Amino acid sequence: MLLIKGFLLLAGAQSVFAKCRCAPTDECWPSTTQWNTLNSTVAGKLIHNQPLAKACYHGPGYSAAECQRVASNWTNEYWIPESPIGYSYPLVDTCPPINASSIAAYPLCELGTSPAYTIRATGADDVAAGIRFARENNVRLVIKNTGHDISQRSQGYGSLSIWTKHVKDGLHFHKQFNYSEGSCPSNWTGSAITIAGGYIWQDAYDFATKHGHVVVGGGDPTVGCIGGFLQGAGHGSLSHEFGLATDQVLEYKVVLASGETVTANACQNADLFTALRGGGGGTFGVVLSATVKTYPSRPTLYHELIVTGLNNNNNHDNTTSSAVLDATARIASKYPALVDEGFAGTAFLFTQESGPWVYSAPLIKFLGDNKDSSSSSNATAIAIAHAKEVMHREILADLLPGNGSEYLVTSEWSTHPSWAAWYASTHHTTAGNNQPLMASRFFGQAVLSGREVELAGLLGVLTTTKNNTTSTAKVGEGSSSSSTTVLFNLVSGGKVANDVRYTSVNPAWRDAYLLLQTVDMAPANADAEEVQALKADLTTRKLKAMKDLAPGTGTYLNEADPYDPDWRQDWFGEWYEQLVAIKKKYDPEGVFWCWRCVGNEGWEEVTGSALFGPLCQVD
Ligand SMILES: Cc1cc2nc3c(=O)[nH]c(=O)nc-3n(C[C@H](O)[C@H](O)[C@H](O)COP(=O)(O)OP(=O)(O)OC[C@H]3O[C@@H](n4cnc5c(N)ncnc54)[C@H](O)[C@@H]3O)c2cc1C
Ligand SMILES: *[C@@H]1O[C@H](CO)[C@@H](O)[C@H](O)[C@H]1NC(C)=O
Ligand SMILES: *[C@@H]1O[C@H](CO)[C@@H](O)[C@H](O)[C@H]1NC(C)=O
Ligand SMILES: *[C@@H]1O[C@H](CO)[C@@H](O)[C@H](O)[C@H]1NC(C)=O
Ligand SMILES: *[C@@H]1O[C@H](CO)[C@@H](O)[C@H](O)[C@H]1NC(C)=O
Ligand SMILES: *[C@@H]1O[C@H](CO)[C@@H](O)[C@H](O)[C@H]1NC(C)=O
Ligand SMILES: *[C@@H]1O[C@H](CO)[C@@H](O)[C@H](O)[C@H]1NC(C)=O
Ligand SMILES: *[C@@H]1O[C@H](CO)[C@@H](O)[C@H](O)[C@H]1NC(C)=O
Ligand SMILES: *[C@@H]1O[C@H](CO)[C@@H](O)[C@H](O)[C@H]1NC(C)=O
Ligand SMILES: *[C@@H]1O[C@H](CO)[C@@H](O)[C@H](O)[C@H]1NC(C)=O
Ligand SMILES: *[C@@H]1O[C@H](CO)[C@@H](O)[C@H](O)[C@H]1NC(C)=O
């Protein structure tokens, strides 16, 4: 064994790697003087990162009070993105805010996969300066917006990070949008907004609402607009009605690997435009603004269905005995009918501390156009009546016979004058700082309709957790064991099914009726080995069960199992090779690199037996 750059590698491994990006422990790492020069170039916006929870560890900087402050904010989804190295879902956490009394479990606090330096960019010049510095000094470069990514794509050991959250050139409303340059007509005669910087969806929703419009964004108001979300597809409660968020993009402003800022739309750099509409963030360039379609606001119908198990009969060794799981499977088999009726949103199957299984489905239907007030109020009433009739016929009629004996059913309707009024009235999923283990899969009509038996079997697999193939299932028994939430994203069908030009999203999106997602949480006190066992179980058993039931589909790259060995095929489908060609055209030197991103072939993070390590060229 040989110690290279502080990490254990196999003897002889070094010669395999022709070239590595300079890491902080390397002699080639830029000097303080060089970093200071960069700092001057970016007008003092360079940050030398320190682990967030450094104060929790003995040594210089130890402070119980500061540690307490960090620990109490650790799962705050507004606090995390404020830090240049705040990541909601670190796959590797090398400095958690632990109580120093139990420090033996974590002897070191290190930056780990967090960037070494961050440019708190406020415009194209800062971005270009960062790119130039990384290229000239052979330093790894990453792009970060909110840090919400679940596949570590906005992180990198020993990297310089370009942080786009503080680019704030405003939100701009266009009654009618024309391309900034170029001659071809956009064909879009509706309105649009330009999101010029690191805004989050809550900002965009508020802005569109002020103009009486809606915009297709995420379910969580804290997800960033123009980063990984928009570039990777983007779904929410309005995607069914209008198409994926990325389908709405009319134009991007992008800083390329060359440092040049360009416009990408259907007329200029159309290949780059296509790649940035579905190919994922972090690898084609640094997006500074996006112009997206907006639509007049309309009344919104809301239905909340909750099915709560009775008498705690969570016999997890025999999941077929769970009435709520069976009911959920029957409901899922009817999703095509609900989706075709326009119901959209995300339903959840979960348990609370030792409690029964609960299926909760907060769904909306975006109601009809209200232009002609006299006849349309009748049209709205007819649409509401029809939606209720479908919900009763497809779902409630089947559920109600078991109400009171097997489970408790609540079914509530409300109408809201606008989508924004509905959004403001409900609770949304939130990001914190935790390590969920996630896997997902698209399900088409044929694998849902009439397949309640198979779906119940799948839910049985997803809601049990095994240490390894022989151990007994153990789920939802409180914080000392792992827990599972199954998410049923009804965010496609409708306009998502329309194939649109200049898009590179996984074609499987167009046929999907359901994006099924499972999220496991390791027990709070789990050690690395246990977490590893859970990850392996997720990929080899749970994801496999999803694939077996829905073969040949794929999934959404932003909500996928990063350990899926078939990620290229499953996340990009037939688009992958074309995306690589576009990546090579716009970034021939591979300045931008991220794990699980298009065109990352030829480079690998060499970790040896450590949790992180330098980025090296491999043959
Ligand atoms: C709580 C929560 C809820 C979510 N809900 C939804 C949802 O409803 N619908 C949905 O579709 N997705 C949802 N997601 C997934 C979300 O789309 C991804 O996490 C996405 O990657 C977040 O993008 P970001 O830019 O905010 O995050 P970051 O982690 O900052 O970046 C993600 C990726 O984009 C790159 N990137 C960031 N900014 C730029 C830029 N300016 N230019 C180029 N590349 C950039 C990064 O390098 C990285 O590769 C949710 C995530 C969370 C945490
Ligand atoms: C960059 O300059 C600013 C302002 O002078 C300073 O506050 C900051 O600490 C510097 N950053 C680094 C990494 O030295
Ligand atoms: C962090 O938590 C403390 C409570 O411990 C709270 O007072 C503070 O406002 C929180 N936020 C920040 C940014 O520190
Ligand atoms: C840390 O542990 C010590 C000793 O067990 C205990 O007294 C203290 O309250 C703990 N602090 C926190 C923040 O939990
Ligand atoms: C866009 O172009 C059309 C047709 O050329 C023109 O009539 C319209 O005024 C332009 N709109 C804006 C906002 O420039
Ligand atoms: C507008 O529509 C025409 C006709 O369908 C098409 O040829 C052209 O490419 C479209 N333009 C854009 C920008 O999509
Ligand atoms: C599980 O429960 C179902 C329904 O109660 C029953 O038919 C089945 O035999 C049980 N299976 C096992 C292995 O106990
Ligand atoms: C609504 O329209 C239907 C037919 O479309 C009609 O039969 C009905 O009377 C109308 N109701 C009202 C209140 O206008
Ligand atoms: C289910 O039964 C409960 C208790 O009997 C009742 O309050 C509730 O209204 C029923 N649910 C529906 C949707 O009818
Ligand atoms: C795995 O099994 C061991 C031994 O049975 C147990 O202590 C541990 O909690 C289990 N881990 C998980 C994640 O279930
Ligand atoms: C896996 O199962 C075997 C028995 O088949 C057991 O000896 C071993 O401890 C288990 N591993 C874990 C990590 O629980």
Side-chain angles (χ1 to χ4, degrees), residues 317-318 320-321:
D317 295 333
N318 183 353
T320 59
S321 69

Side-chain angles (χ1 to χ4, degrees), residues 517-598:
Q517 192 184 351
T518 185
V519 180
D520 292 347
M521 296 294 297
N525 57 359
D527 60 24
E529 208 176 313
E530 271 179 80
V531 172
Q532 191 49 47
L534 285 170
K535 282 179 184 170
D537 181 53
L538 182 71
T539 307
T540 58
R541 192 174 59 93
K542 297 189 178 187
L543 180 59
K544 181 173 183 302
M546 293 194 217
K547 290 186 180 189
D548 287 348
L549 192 50
T553 61
T555 194
Y556 175 29
L557 63 90
N558 276 334
E559 292 176 328
D561 176 6
Y563 301 100
D564 181 356
D566 305 320
W567 64 276
R568 291 184 176 88
Q569 173 63 36
D570 281 347
W571 301 4
F572 301 92
E574 66 212 37
W575 266 103
Y576 191 76
E577 292 308 324
Q578 265 167 282
L579 285 167
V580 170
I582 298 170
K583 157 79 174 173
K584 287 202 174 126
K585 175 178 168 189
Y586 286 92
D587 182 15
E589 292 170 30
V591 175
F592 303 113
W593 190 94
C594 35
W595 192 59
R596 296 303 187 240
C597 291
V598 166

Side-chain angles (χ1 to χ4, degrees), residues 180-340:
S180 0
E181 303 144 50
S183 50
C184 77
S186 84
N187 293 348
W188 173 245
T189 55
S191 57
I193 58 173
T194 297
I195 304 167
Y199 298 91
I200 59 174
W201 282 113
Q202 188 65 64
D203 301 326
Y205 293 156
D206 291 346
F207 183 76
T209 301
K210 221 172 64 189
H211 292 274
H213 282 66
V214 295
V215 57
V216 180
D220 180 330
T222 69
V223 175
C225 305
I226 68 172
F229 177 93
L230 211 49
Q231 296 170 48
H235 67 71
S237 59
L238 290 174
S239 45
H240 170 90
E241 185 71 19
F242 299 114
L244 292 168
T246 206
D247 295 342
Q248 315 304 320
V249 180
L250 294 161
E251 181 168 289
Y252 282 114
K253 285 261 189 303
V254 195
V255 184
L256 301 178
S258 64
E260 186 193 355
T261 302
V262 300
T263 295
N265 58 33
C267 313
Q268 303 168 75
N269 302 305
D271 51 358
L272 178 64
F273 182 58
T274 302
L276 292 172
R277 298 210 316 163
T283 189
F284 299 103
V286 182
V287 169
L288 291 182
S289 88
T291 300
V292 297
K293 295 174 181 178
T294 56
Y295 303 87
S297 184
R298 292 192 233 144
T300 299
L301 176 67
Y302 178 60
H303 181 244
E304 187 180 55
L305 173 69
I306 301 175
V307 184
T308 307
L310 286 173
N311 63 38
N312 267 7
N313 81 348
N314 282 335
N315 183 354
H316 293 289
D317 295 333
N318 183 353
T319 53
T320 59
S321 69
S322 168
V324 173
L325 297 195
D326 283 349
T328 302
R330 298 201 305 277
I331 294 169
S333 75
K334 303 294 183 56
Y335 282 154
L338 290 191
V339 169
D340 285 340

Side-chain angles (χ1 to χ4, degrees), residues 14-20 617-619:
Q14 195 180 24
S15 60
V16 176
F17 306 112
K19 188 183 168 197
C20 297
Q617 224 161 21
V618 291
D619 299 320

Side-chain angles (χ1 to χ4, degrees), residues 499-516:
D499 210 355
V500 290
R501 299 180 66 199
Y502 308 109
T503 178
S504 55
V505 297
N506 188 342
W509 264 114
R510 308 297 176 196
D511 300 320
Y513 269 84
L514 166 69
L515 171 61
L516 182 72

